[in-house]
Amino acid sequence: MPHYLEGSRNSCALHGALQLFEAIEGVVPVIHSTAGCGVQYYLGGTRMSGGNDPFGSPPVSSSNIGQKHVVFGGGSRLREQLKNTVKVVQGDLYAIVTGCSTEMVGDDIPAMAREGRDQDWPVIYANTPGFSGDVHHGYHLAVKALIEQLPDIWKKPEEFPSGLVNIWGIIPNQDPFWRGNLQELGRLLEGIGLVPNLLLGSEQSVASWQQIPGAVLNLVLSPWGELPARLLEERYATSSIILDGLPIGTATSTLLRRLTEQLKLDTIRTEAFIAREDSRLNFQFARLADSYYRAGFQREFTLVGESAQVVGIAEFLGTSFGLLPRTLILTDNPPDSVRQRLVTRLAAIVSGYDSEVIFSEDRSEISDIIRSSEAQLILGSSLEREVSVELGIPFLALSFPLADRIVLERSYAGYRGATTLLEDIGTALLAFSREYHLC
Amino acid sequence: MSGNRLFVFQKIIESVVHISNSYRQDMSEKIGKHLAIYGKGGIGKSTTTSNISAALADSGYRVIQIGCDPKSDSTTILRGGNDLPTVLDTLREQSKLRIEDISAIGFGGVLCIEAGGPVPGVGCAGRGINAAVELLQELKVFDEFKPDFVLYDVLGDVVCGGFAVPIRDGLADRAFVVTSSDFMAIFAANNLFKAVNKYAPSGGARLGGVIANSILAAYAPSLIDDFAEKTGTSVIGYVPRSLVVAQSELYGKTVIEAAPQSEQAQVYRNLAQYIDENDDSVIPKPLNSPELKKWAREWGDRIFEVETGVVHEMASI
């Protein structure tokens, strides 16, 4: 049944592709669309993800087509834009992404990319009209373009590092903590003797993407990473470990043991690493105990976010921190094929306690659900701040859009991410408790 | 605060009233009768339209014919086969246009305009038609030329929203469809009926009637009559297939110009006279897909019988 959608947190496919390309150093995206697509990407995407955006707005090249390009085709405008971009912006790879109007018109983008390559420019393309899907679909399209087209531009490297693991499913900006999360995952993999291929973030360039075929494993951290893993299995017969969400706290130990077993790593080294990390985390739990009981941390909570975050955070808080996941709202419209699996898993995090699992991206509906949930802590995006004030309950913003926090390297994944999460939730609860009881 | 809001609200109401008044003014000031002619590609739309334009002009009316087809050959036979820069081509080259740049005076003083469009396989022709029509309105072609009749000759089928522009938004008052007795031509006519049916209730053009063209087979008039009856429309003229038309076209002329005394010229004059004297229009009732197929199959059976009958009759002569 048709309904209004208020304050959706899922932007369009073009933006998803742009987010991915911009997260790889040396990749220069070229938008082939009407004026405004790039600005919208800044206003509704990067700027809303923890204040971690380029100064002013992203310097994205765009063909800014007008009516005559719609009527007569915009191929020549794109050709000109590509030529000018190559002249003024140095890059290792130029990635054409398209908007709605140029796709409606049917501009021949592959031919334009081919023309560029004929002139020895490294050019790839992704057809990313907004009407084809949302930001997650855009992530898929961009990843697919890189996997399929990079081998046409550069020869496969002859040697790969041994124990290389590709990481998939973390969508830049859509997960505001993506940089920190990837770094922590990299640290964990290194800790058990693997070589992480983070693919996105600082020091991750086209060279990282050229390493993809040589990986021993694809580590998938959200339903959105399943497609790249499948593509790579078909192309290079690389096996995968598929998780529904980010490993946080004790879930990290499970993952590390699974990796060790599957890749036949040094068990002693892994156990030593896990023991060190577990002991640090346990020490922190012990130090937190006083505040935990004094300020009444243990309470029911509502969590609103992308499925990868919801799975990771809800399970950590529910199983290790004694909080009760009252209502879990997944905002990323995960594919039908994984929904039942997610519901079954999330509804029974705490034994003997049923959690409510809801799929929604509608701000108004989400606010109503929170109102009726009677939970005493809200973990969500900045869009949920208003309802938390209305209800007078503590709140922590941790999912997209994140308009009122600065996130540079903060992580909510792995062991260190678990610590950060405890600090932030504890701070939110204490601040609230002081406000109401001490002042 | 509330006073301020009230003031803003009043301003909004005023501007809405102003806009609707100026819209009404535009509508009442529409100069001339605007007619859109549709039909399957190659069915003889441009020939029919040009001959109607020529006949109307010959009777002393001021006529504009606008070709809305990327092929841009609608007005060729009104202009002796000469080239005419299209609106969109000219728009591509220069930003400021004058009416003279994109029009030519053809037979009988008909103002000929070709909207034009992209080369096949590139760009969006539908948006092109939209842009060209917008430009003609901006240039105030109708205010300047003060036509009695404006005829839009529109590409084959109503394949997308762009080609429905002439029958949307009250641009044309009436649409006519040219069809032969071929099933695909009837199919295209039925599609136009669907478009008219969709837009007419909200101020779009209504259907003026069906023009039966290329009438050769004996069963053709009855078949087209039957289709018109089934869809709640009527046939306003039957144009027989004629060598005169082909010959005139080879000379780059309309029949009205090349063979004014011919019977064929009279057929077109009658059509022009009908269009001039009748303002009748209907909202057609298009057949849905199964109905159209069933109707076609029934006619398939009947034609077989009719054809057999014709052969017998001929044999007896």
Side-chain angles (χ1 to χ4, degrees):
Chain A
M1 198 178 135
H3 61 281
Y4 291 106
L5 189 60
E6 185 188 322
S8 167
R9 40 207 97 194
N10 296 318
S11 187
C12 77
L14 171 63
H15 296 172
L18 277 171
Q19 287 181 350
L20 185 98
F21 287 134
E22 292 228 312
I24 308 167
E25 285 184 0
V27 175
V28 180
V30 179
I31 302 174
H32 183 42
S33 188
T34 44
C37 289
V39 173
Q40 282 303 323
Y41 158 65
Y42 163 65
L43 294 176
T46 53
R47 205 181 63 161
M48 289 291 156
S49 187
N52 182 10
D53 44 85
F55 180 62
S57 66
V60 187
S61 169
S62 170
S63 63
N64 287 8
I65 62 154
Q67 174 143 281
K68 77 175 174 187
H69 309 111
V70 171
V71 174
F72 294 103
S76 53
R77 180 71 270 278
L78 175 59
R79 182 185 291 126
E80 187 186 19
Q81 188 64 27
L82 192 59
K83 193 175 94 188
N84 293 343
T85 307
V86 170
K87 258 190 217 162
V88 298
V89 191
Q90 277 211 326
D92 301 324
L93 181 72
Y94 297 87
I96 302 169
V97 285
T98 55
C100 297
S101 43
T102 51
E103 289 295 334
M104 288 285 284
V105 167
D107 283 347
D108 191 356
I109 311 302
M112 289 296 120
R114 213 163 34 238
E115 269 189 26
R117 288 216 279 267
D118 288 345
Q119 304 190 52
D120 288 334
W121 301 334
V123 183
I124 62 165
Y125 69 92
N127 299 96
T128 53
F131 54 71
S132 69
D134 71 8
V135 67
H136 308 91
H137 181 56
Y139 168 83
H140 276 170
L141 294 170
V143 166
K144 194 162 177 270
L146 284 160
I147 290 175
E148 289 177 350
Q149 296 171 48
L150 279 189
D152 294 342
I153 299 179
W154 290 290
K155 275 191 198 155
K156 207 162 92 171
E158 284 173 6
E159 279 187 19
F160 298 101
S162 77
L164 190 71
V165 175
N166 301 322
I167 298 181
W168 300 105
I170 293 182
I171 304 182
N173 294 332
Q174 201 64 17
D175 174 359
F177 301 88
W178 65 279
R179 288 175 193 273
N181 287 349
L182 281 169
Q183 276 172 19
E184 169 66 357
L185 284 157
R187 186 184 74 87
L188 298 172
L189 295 182
E190 278 170 359
I192 59 166
L194 291 169
V195 179
N197 196 12
L198 305 181
L199 299 167
L200 306 168
S202 58
E203 293 175 12
Q204 299 299 313
S205 64
V206 177
S208 318
W209 288 78
Q210 286 175 271
Q211 302 283 345
I212 286 173
V216 290
L217 186 86
N218 291 305
L219 178 57
V220 174
L221 298 169
S222 82
W224 307 108
E226 290 187 29
L227 176 86
R230 199 169 63 239
L231 289 176
L232 292 173
E233 191 183 344
E234 285 164 11
R235 276 186 166 247
Y236 307 115
T238 323
S239 60
S240 306
I241 286 184
I242 294 178
L243 305 183
D244 291 329
L246 295 163
I248 305 178
T250 41
T252 317
S253 315
T254 314
L255 170 66
L256 296 182
R257 290 196 177 104
R258 196 172 157 190
L259 283 164
T260 306
E261 192 191 329
Q262 190 158 331
L263 299 174
K264 300 192 172 40
L265 304 177
D266 180 353
T267 316
I268 295 169
R269 178 178 177 171
T270 301
E271 288 305 326
F273 182 76
I274 291 173
R276 207 161 49 239
E277 295 290 332
D278 268 351
S279 123
R280 195 182 51 84
L281 198 57
N282 286 335
F283 179 64
Q284 288 165 356
F285 275 132
R287 282 196 296 167
L288 198 58
D290 182 62
S291 300
Y292 186 93
Y293 290 109
R294 191 164 40 82
F297 281 10
Q298 192 178 39
R299 54 181 72 203
E300 292 185 310
F301 69 91
T302 301
L303 173 55
V304 188
E306 298 249 314
S307 46
Q309 273 187 310
V310 170
V311 168
I313 293 173
E315 287 190 344
F316 171 65
L317 296 181
T319 54
S320 303
F321 202 47
L323 266 58
L324 296 167
R326 176 65 269 144
T327 309
L328 304 171
I329 304 171
L330 289 79
T331 58
D332 56 344
N333 285 321
D336 289 342
S337 54
V338 301
R339 286 194 180 208
Q340 192 48 52
R341 188 172 84 206
L342 288 172
V343 171
T344 310
R345 177 176 181 165
L346 291 172
I349 290 175
V350 178
S351 130
Y353 177 88
D354 288 337
S355 302
E356 193 180 13
V357 183
I358 292 164
F359 300 93
S360 175
E361 55 173 320
D362 181 88
R363 181 187 183 179
S364 154
E365 188 184 22
I366 289 170
S367 298
D368 286 343
I369 293 165
I370 293 173
R371 281 188 196 101
S372 61
S373 75
E374 296 181 356
Q376 288 306 303
L377 168 66
I378 301 172
L379 308 171
S381 75
S382 297
L383 294 174
E384 278 68 62
R385 181 174 291 282
E386 197 176 277
V387 71
S388 80
V389 172
E390 175 197 316
L391 296 173
I393 53 175
F395 166 73
L396 175 67
L398 47 64
S399 57
F400 182 87
L402 199 60
D404 44 11
R405 285 186 71 180
I406 296 291
V407 181
L408 298 175
E409 272 197 355
R410 206 166 194 74
S411 160
Y412 284 158
Y415 294 111
R416 290 190 179 167
T419 305
T420 322
L421 190 59
L422 294 182
E423 286 170 351
D424 289 351
I425 291 177
T427 304
L429 290 168
L430 268 190
F432 186 84
S433 142
R434 285 178 67 83
E435 199 176 316
Y436 280 80
H437 304 296
L438 298 180
C439 295
Chain B
M1 187 67 184
S2 66
N4 204 4
R5 270 194 200 149
L6 194 66
F7 175 74
V8 172
F9 185 66
Q10 266 176 349
K11 281 284 160 204
I12 293 170
I13 295 288
E14 277 169 26
S15 40
V16 169
V17 169
H18 175 75
I19 291 166
S20 66
N21 278 347
S22 55
Y23 179 70
R24 230 173 274 144
Q25 218 171 3
D26 282 350
M27 296 296 286
S28 63
E29 277 183 5
K30 187 150 84 182
I31 299 161
K33 291 182 181 178
H34 290 237
L35 317 166
I37 299 184
Y38 282 79
K40 178 185 168 292
I43 211 68
K45 279 184 309 297
S46 298
T47 309
T48 310
T49 312
S50 298
N51 274 293
I52 293 172
S53 290
L56 287 167
D58 210 25
S59 323
Y61 288 118
R62 290 176 68 77
V63 181
I64 301 178
Q65 181 168 326
I66 303 170
C68 299
D69 187 332
K71 285 208 309 295
S72 57
D73 57 357
S74 165
T75 60
T76 311
I77 57 171
L78 283 165
R79 299 179 281 106
N82 296 328
D83 276 346
L84 170 65
T86 69
V87 177
L88 290 171
D89 275 336
T90 319
L91 191 63
R92 180 153 59 163
E93 305 302 331
Q94 57 203 75
S95 54
K96 285 243 185 251
L97 290 191
R98 294 166 309 162
I99 299 175
E100 307 86 274
D101 298 331
I102 46 136
S103 63
I105 300 292
F107 171 77
V110 177
L111 187 74
C112 303
I113 295 170
E114 296 286 353
V119 295
V122 183
C124 178
R127 181 61 215 171
I129 300 297
N130 222 319
V133 169
E134 266 175 25
L135 185 80
L136 294 179
Q137 285 171 328
E138 273 173 37
L139 287 177
K140 299 195 181 305
V141 171
F142 309 129
D143 302 75
E144 299 280 327
F145 191 78
K146 300 198 179 3
D148 300 304
F149 288 95
V150 180
L151 279 79
Y152 301 85
D153 174 15
V154 195
L155 167 126
D157 207 338
V158 196
V159 284
C160 71
F163 295 98
V165 165
I167 55 166
R168 264 174 17 197
D169 313 325
L171 202 62
D173 320 298
R174 281 179 293 163
F176 292 87
V177 64
V178 181
T179 184
S180 70
S181 57
D182 291 342
F183 178 67
M184 289 320 290
I186 297 277
F187 182 81
N190 195 56
N191 277 351
L192 171 73
F193 292 175
K194 286 181 184 168
V196 172
N197 193 281
K198 176 176 170 55
Y199 292 118
S202 53
R206 291 159 62 94
L207 193 85
V210 177
I211 300 169
N213 196 32
S214 295
I215 299 301
L216 189 64
Y219 65 83
S222 332
L223 183 146
I224 299 170
D225 280 346
D226 187 42
F227 172 68
E229 196 194 321
K230 290 275 188 304
T231 51
T233 59
S234 57
V235 181
I236 63 159
Y238 305 87
V239 184
R241 196 171 182 84
S242 159
L243 269 181
V244 185
V245 176
Q247 200 180 13
S248 308
E249 281 200 336
L250 289 171
Y251 290 127
K253 287 177 178 173
T254 56
V255 177
I256 303 290
E257 185 182 4
Q261 304 305 324
S262 63
E263 270 182 45
Q264 194 75 9
Q266 195 52 45
V267 172
Y268 289 123
R269 283 202 189 92
N270 292 346
L271 269 176
Q273 193 184 352
Y274 176 89
I275 286 168
D276 179 22
E277 290 172 0
N278 284 281
D279 286 332
D280 297 348
S281 64
V282 295
I283 298 180
K285 298 188 287 287
L287 301 176
N288 63 30
S289 188
E291 283 169 354
L292 191 63
K293 277 182 197 148
K294 182 167 170 281
W295 176 85
R297 213 173 300 123
E298 284 168 11
W299 267 97
D301 295 344
R302 279 160 77 176
I303 290 168
F304 179 76
E305 288 160 20
V306 171
E307 287 288 291
T308 317
V310 170
V311 170
H312 285 306
E313 213 174 83
M314 295 281 283
S316 70
I317 289 171

